[in-house]
Amino acid sequence: MWTQMDSPVGVLRIVAHRDAITAVEFAPEADARPGSSQARAAAVASGRPVGDRDDSHPLLVEAVRQLTAYFAGDLKHFDLPVDPQGTPFQRRVWDQLREIGYGETATYGQVARLLGMTAAASRAVGLANGRNPIPIVIPCHRVVGADGTLTGYAGGVRRKQLLLDMEQGALF
């Protein structure tokens, strides 16, 4: 099941399975109107789950509530059950990302070291980071390059910059 919401970074599609959030998806920047047959066909072609829309399911209502509070600057830590599907290594990385505080950033090398690896594992961390199916809630946007520059982001670097600016601006 899924729902969608408007946000400062565009339309978000929130997907749940059983009792956990399994994905937060960004609408492509130049996509067809969300919910249209063209958007649905693109979702099917990409392999994303296309279940029934359920705007009243309690878990999805809570996810929208928390995301709305986050975008308003009123929520600094999500308290949602999540079940990202990935390899054991990816899941370790995603768990570590949840430890990066609101308004903070970490480099790929720092995340690797926190996982007990050398900074040389930063490429593997970057690949896992890029496959995070639950962005924002699992804050992969808070990971930056070794020199502090913004690197790739599944939602686009523009969205990454917006999220970081919003968080850092809310701290002051």
Side-chain angles (χ1 to χ4, degrees):
M1 75 194 117
W2 61 277
T3 191
Q4 69 183 33
M5 65 176 283
D6 291 327
S7 81
V9 294
V11 174
L12 298 177
R13 184 171 183 245
I14 306 153
V15 181
H17 182 69
R18 294 193 175 99
D19 294 323
I21 301 298
T22 58
V24 172
E25 301 169 341
F26 295 106
E29 302 240 11
D31 194 8
R33 182 178 44 80
S36 71
S37 60
Q38 185 178 12
R40 189 172 176 87
V44 170
S46 73
R48 293 187 312 220
V50 182
D52 293 330
R53 181 171 178 166
D54 187 349
D55 296 334
S56 64
H57 188 279
L59 176 58
L60 294 172
V61 169
E62 179 61 13
V64 168
R65 186 196 70 74
Q66 287 191 32
L67 283 161
T68 300
Y70 166 81
F71 286 116
D74 297 330
L75 182 84
K76 310 273 189 271
H77 180 77
F78 289 94
D79 183 25
L80 291 169
V82 295
D83 186 18
Q85 298 301 300
T87 67
F89 175 74
Q90 289 170 332
R91 292 174 72 101
R92 282 184 56 219
V93 170
W94 300 333
D95 286 345
Q96 189 62 54
L97 297 180
R98 296 182 83 185
E99 300 301 317
I100 303 170
Y102 182 93
E104 298 176 3
T105 59
T107 67
Y108 297 98
Q110 288 171 326
V111 173
R113 283 190 295 279
L114 288 168
L115 290 170
M117 306 160 77
T118 67
S122 62
R123 183 178 299 246
V125 167
L127 290 172
N129 195 59
R131 295 196 187 276
N132 173 17
I134 311 176
I136 305 171
V137 175
I138 298 175
C140 53
H141 62 279
R142 296 178 186 155
V143 183
V144 297
D147 61 359
T149 59
L150 299 187
T151 56
Y153 184 61
V157 174
R158 183 187 71 79
R159 285 185 177 123
K160 183 174 188 167
Q161 184 69 62
L162 285 169
L163 291 166
L164 291 173
D165 288 348
M166 180 197 74
E167 288 185 13
Q168 292 169 350
L171 293 176
F172 304 105

